[in-house]
Amino acid sequence: MTPAIIEELAQRLERLLLRHQELLRSQSLLQQEVQRLAQERDHLLAQCAAARQRLDAVIARVAAEEDAP
């Protein structure tokens, strides 16, 4: 191999290594975002369940008042 080819390969390898590091950082940030969104989803599901329970209690109370003489 000529020195020019070796230099070109070294430069390409360096660019690939930099790109790999960038992709690892991006992956880490995306994993953090997925975790944050999963926590937000779980919180919203819990709020929805609590609201559903409150609504069921109100419906039961209204139904009981309608059945009362």
Side-chain angles (χ1 to χ4, degrees), residues 2-67:
T2 66
I5 291 174
I6 293 173
E7 181 62 29
E8 181 184 339
L9 288 174
Q11 289 175 1
R12 289 177 65 187
L13 180 59
E14 190 63 34
R15 286 193 305 269
L16 283 173
L17 289 173
L18 287 173
R19 181 67 177 142
H20 177 70
Q21 290 173 348
E22 290 171 3
L23 289 172
L24 288 176
R25 280 194 299 270
S26 294
Q27 180 186 20
S28 176
L29 291 172
L30 289 171
Q31 287 173 338
Q32 290 173 11
E33 182 70 5
V34 166
Q35 184 178 10
R36 185 189 67 76
L37 290 171
Q39 289 173 346
E40 182 180 349
R41 179 205 60 211
D42 293 344
H43 177 70
L44 291 171
L45 286 172
Q47 283 183 324
C48 183
R52 184 177 289 122
Q53 288 177 347
R54 290 192 304 272
L55 185 57
D56 288 343
V58 168
I59 290 171
R61 213 172 340 152
V62 168
E65 288 175 5
E66 288 177 351
D67 291 342

